[in-house]
Amino acid sequence: MDMNSLSPTMPTSPLSMINQVKFEDEPDLKDLFITVDDPESHVTTIETFITYRVATQTSRGEFDSSEFEVRRRYQDFLWLKGKLEEAHPTLIIPPLPEKFVVKGMVERFSDDFIETRRRALNKFLNRIADHPTLTFSEDFKVFLTAQAGELSSHKKQGPGLLSRMGQTVRAVALSMRGVRSRPEEFTEMNDFIETFSQKINLIDKISQRIYKEEREYFDEMKEYGPIHALWSESEEDLADTLGGVASCLDRCCQATERRLCGLSEALLPVVHEYVLYSEMLMGVMRRRDHIQAELESKAEALTYKKADTDLLTEEVGKLEDKVECANTALRADWERWKQNMRNDIKSAFADTAERNIHYYEQCLATWESFLTAQSDLYAKEPPDDKP
Amino acid sequence: MEEAAPALERLLQPAPLEPLGHPDAGLEAAVGEEAEGAQDEEGPGDRTMTENFWVKKIEISVSEAEKRTGRNAMNMQEYTAYLVETRSVEHNDGPSVLTDSLWRRYSEFELLRNYLLVYYPHIVVPPLPEKRAEFIWHKLSADNMDPDFVERRRIGLENFLLRVASHPILCRDRIFYLFLTQEGNWKEIVNETGFQLKADSRLKALNATFRVKNPDKRFTELKHYSDELQSVISHLLRVRARVADRLYGVYKVHGNYGRVFSEWSAIEKEMGDGLQSAGHHMDVYASSIDDILEDEEHYADQLKEYLFYAEALRAVCRKHELMQYDLEMAAQDLASKKQQCEELSTGTVRTFSLKGMTTKLFGQETPEQREARIKVLEEQISEGEQQLKSKNLEGREFVKNAWADIERFKEQKNRDLKEALISYAVMQISMCKKGIQVWTNAKECFSKM
């Protein structure tokens, strides 16, 4: 939190700006720009892993400099997420891409996998940057700026392993007890999250399936045009027409490829992020319930115990505040999250629809110009009568 | 049958080969002609009837298909019967009158075609639609009794009859006429022509293919072309089927969005309406593929016809090879006999012959014997020369007439395939327009979410 007097002008690269502006609806207030790129493979005797370059540009005073470049691996992102969840249990922390790929024989280090993960990590950091509270997290700042050695020593601070284990044990005990009187608004929220999770998962599956079918369609189409070209070689009078059809099919094939790219860039990552978000949300609900359960348990203890009532009353009071804060934080973040979700889903699908329109328009133009060329030929020859 | 035997004989023979440039044998010249005094009643023995039949413009249709159960040698079997209707039109734009209507099975169409193949070997005989569904993609069934398949076959059979009816030579065939007009006994009449006996054996044809020395180069090229045509169309149809399969998948999966959006919209306030109506458009998109692919099936059938036509082309080439081989064999035989004769007359033996060997072993033959042999050979040579001459003439006639039909066929093929390809483009355009419409609607709904 030290307010450095450095206040340089903003030397942001245009490229990083383009990446960021799309994500949030508050472009004019952005003073922190982050990109994740340049995956590199590292081989040690023990393991092989990938690191990513995390480049930051900022005009914020609390940063020592205006530009930072560090290398981070997935574990580091995982650490950051954990810290944020710890510090803000009822805020909706952005999701990380999965640790492992469950389905299929995807190689851990295949190019597609790395690229998908890179994009998701990029999204993750930018979401944090755009979050009114999380953006000021100290852990976040360290993550963005600390060189390797600094980061590991910073990680070692904070509650040790044993105390963390203790926390977990208490949490399990409490969750088994359950929460007694959850406020209506949070029950509604929970119901929404359950249904939303179901639906977004289905949409994710459907979208992946569409991608797969389109990909296979594209693969078959690649063969379709060339056959017509081959045929035209053994024909005289038909060579023109066949050649025309061949080139139309080739162009449509290219348009299909573009459509595929659009799908994998614009729709699939967005939908998948919200699948992961829905899991996060469930975690948030659990943590909120947990805080309330803590309160209820202490309050219950107060009614039975005769001694130490003052101390207990004080503790109950603190817990009441804690619950109040947690609920307030969640309420606000929930509204924000819903608004973002609505915008993101809307954009993703509208964008997909736009790309599909474009795809059909391109194909239409191709075939129409073929027809025009054919009828021009007809105009020159006298039409033959069919028997 | 009530007509006189000689007349029947004459009528059952194939129509004479038409020399180049006389299209008057067919319908073209007859179109629009008024037939005065022509009756509409059937008379299977009436020769004038056959000619008058073609004088009026006729329309042929295979209008219905019906499932039947029939008994064959072993058991009860289901088959499909097709209603063949013939209408004649008195004046160019006048009403058509139903003149004949009968039921035929696929096997009878096959019989007709096999007959035509034997009696018109120089003609590229139109093919029948496929017996079993091929080049299918997963949505279509391979079942011969499937209504879609039956429907497409009905169209194919109609097409076959129209092709035959519009062929300048084939249309005059009496067996064809009877096919359209006489339901009962037709099979017997065809078999009585003895055409199966006249058919060249496959083995003979194969032999000829490998051993002929001087086939007409044009036929060799034509055979090569027909092989290429068959290969490329098969390949095309296979890929098309796979493409159709994939396209079906893409469209149909979008339909799943509809249901999920609808369920999701139930929990959303602002987004609900947009989601719901977008979902509806996804359903529209998904169901639009059915019509699109059905149209494409008809396109595929047009290509298939020419796939099968390639086989008909090859049949004509094979016939030529056979005739040529026959001719070469006859010429060879004649040449060898002439040589034998010469050797006997001059007493020199230039070639090995069994007779020569036995002569050496068992003694010379007497001059009378030799004379006798020479006489026999001379007779055979004279006969052989006659035969060779007529075979030569036959061969040349065949080549001339076959080539005329091949030219006709080529023009028909170019026209038809060009039209088919253009209609394919039209189909694609329609599909694109539908796509644009649906996604524009969907986009609007999404934007309102």
Side-chain angles (χ1 to χ4, degrees), chain B residues 62 108-110 112-114 116 125-129 154-166 170 176 179 305 309:
Chain B
V62 177
E108 290 173 287
F109 282 85
E110 274 186 313
L112 172 64
R113 185 166 191 270
N114 289 339
L116 292 174
V125 178
L128 285 171
R154 181 195 68 73
I155 295 171
L157 291 173
E158 185 177 282
N159 194 49
F160 166 73
L161 291 178
L162 290 172
R163 292 262 193 222
V164 175
S166 58
L170 294 177
F176 175 55
F179 180 88
E305 192 193 15
Y309 254 126

Side-chain angles (χ1 to χ4, degrees), chain A residues 192 195-196 199-200 202-203 206-207 209-210 213-214 216-217 220-221 223-224 227-228 230-231 234-235 237-238 241-242 245 249 259 267 341-342 345-346 349-350 353-354 356-357 360-361 363-364 367-368 370-371 374 378 384-387, chain B residues 28 225 228-229 232-233 235-236 239-240 242-243 246-247 249-251 253-254 256-257 260-261 263-264 267-268 270-271 285 299 303 413-419 421-422 424-426 428-429 431-433 435-436 439-440 443 446-447 449:
Chain A
F192 179 96
T195 309
F196 174 80
K199 301 313 160 195
I200 200 72
L202 283 172
I203 290 175
I206 294 167
S207 308
R209 179 75 192 279
I210 288 175
E213 294 286 338
E214 273 189 33
E216 289 177 346
Y217 170 71
E220 299 296 350
M221 276 296 270
E223 247 193 280
Y224 204 20
I227 295 174
H228 291 78
L230 180 68
W231 187 0
S234 53
E235 297 285 342
D237 294 315
L238 286 176
T241 312
L242 283 168
V245 171
L249 290 171
R259 185 182 181 186
L267 185 67
M341 184 271 281
R342 188 163 143 231
I345 297 289
K346 176 169 136 180
F349 276 102
E354 177 65 49
N356 286 340
I357 293 169
Y360 281 114
E361 280 176 345
C363 292
L364 178 66
W367 288 107
E368 278 185 337
F370 164 76
L371 271 194
Q374 289 297 303
Y378 266 140
D384 286 335
D385 287 328
K386 279 198 79 171
Chain B
E28 289 88 354
Y225 168 76
E228 278 183 359
L229 187 70
V232 84
I233 296 185
H235 193 192
L236 200 155
V239 175
R240 190 211 73 87
R242 288 202 301 260
V243 168
R246 292 294 154 213
L247 197 62
V250 170
Y251 273 72
V253 181
H254 277 87
N256 292 330
Y257 274 145
V260 181
F261 281 176
E263 288 166 4
W264 183 5
I267 58 170
E268 293 287 346
E270 300 108 341
M271 280 204 332
Y285 183 65
Y299 165 71
L303 294 184
K413 168 197 68 123
N414 289 337
R415 263 198 312 269
D416 290 347
L417 288 177
K418 191 167 207 162
E419 202 179 288
L421 289 165
I422 286 177
Y424 183 73
V426 170
Q428 298 306 302
I429 286 173
M431 180 173 90
C432 290
K433 285 187 176 164
I436 291 171
W439 285 105
T440 305
K443 182 177 161 201
F446 288 132
S447 318
M449 289 195 329

Side-chain angles (χ1 to χ4, degrees), chain B residues 35-238:
Chain B
E36 301 202 359
Q39 295 135 334
D40 280 38
E41 283 93 75
E42 291 182 22
D46 190 348
R47 180 177 168 233
T48 331
M49 199 49 239
T50 326
E51 289 184 347
N52 286 345
F53 189 77
W54 300 115
V55 165
K56 291 179 240 170
K57 184 173 176 186
I58 65 159
E59 293 166 12
I60 305 176
S61 62
V62 177
S63 50
E64 274 173 50
E66 200 177 82
K67 270 200 210 168
R68 297 225 182 129
T69 342
R71 192 174 282 286
N72 70 7
M74 307 270 276
N75 51 17
M76 294 295 274
Q77 203 188 36
E78 259 199 342
Y79 67 92
T80 313
Y82 302 88
L83 182 64
V84 180
E85 293 181 321
T86 312
R87 290 178 162 74
S88 72
V89 185
E90 290 278 351
H91 313 280
N92 232 342
D93 292 317
S96 63
V97 177
L98 183 67
T99 54
D100 296 282
S101 164
L102 39 69
W103 292 89
R104 292 283 182 217
R105 298 175 61 156
Y106 186 86
S107 57
E108 290 173 287
F109 282 85
E110 274 186 313
L111 188 60
L112 172 64
R113 185 166 191 270
N114 289 339
Y115 162 84
L116 292 174
L117 280 172
V118 169
Y119 271 99
Y120 301 89
H122 61 294
I123 302 287
V124 184
V125 178
L128 285 171
E130 54 195 354
K131 190 151 199 181
R132 267 166 282 280
E134 274 175 64
F135 305 110
I136 53 169
W137 53 282
H138 88 274
K139 192 211 162 201
L140 295 191
S141 79
D143 179 16
N144 277 5
M145 301 303 277
D146 177 76
D148 284 334
F149 177 73
V150 168
E151 172 60 17
R152 293 198 352 262
R153 188 192 252 191
R154 181 195 68 73
I155 295 171
L157 291 173
E158 185 177 282
N159 194 49
F160 166 73
L161 291 178
L162 290 172
R163 292 262 193 222
V164 175
S166 58
H167 190 284
I169 295 167
L170 294 177
C171 70
R172 298 177 65 208
D173 186 87
R174 183 152 170 81
I175 295 289
F176 175 55
Y177 164 72
L178 290 175
F179 180 88
L180 296 174
T181 58
Q182 183 172 318
E183 186 158 5
N185 218 31
W186 177 80
K187 276 207 284 243
E188 287 71 15
I189 297 177
V190 182
N191 288 326
E192 272 166 27
T193 64
F195 79 92
Q196 283 103 339
L197 299 171
K198 279 172 159 265
D200 298 314
S201 80
R202 267 305 197 151
L203 195 59
K204 206 167 136 202
L206 195 64
N207 197 31
T209 305
F210 286 119
R211 299 213 189 154
V212 68
K213 294 204 185 76
N214 290 313
D216 185 318
K217 206 162 71 110
R218 291 179 297 173
F219 282 95
T220 317
E221 278 170 20
L222 185 68
K223 200 156 75 124
H224 183 58
Y225 168 76
S226 73
D227 285 339
E228 278 183 359
L229 187 70
Q230 184 172 59
S231 153
V232 84
I233 296 185
S234 304
H235 193 192
L236 200 155
L237 287 170
R238 263 198 306 276

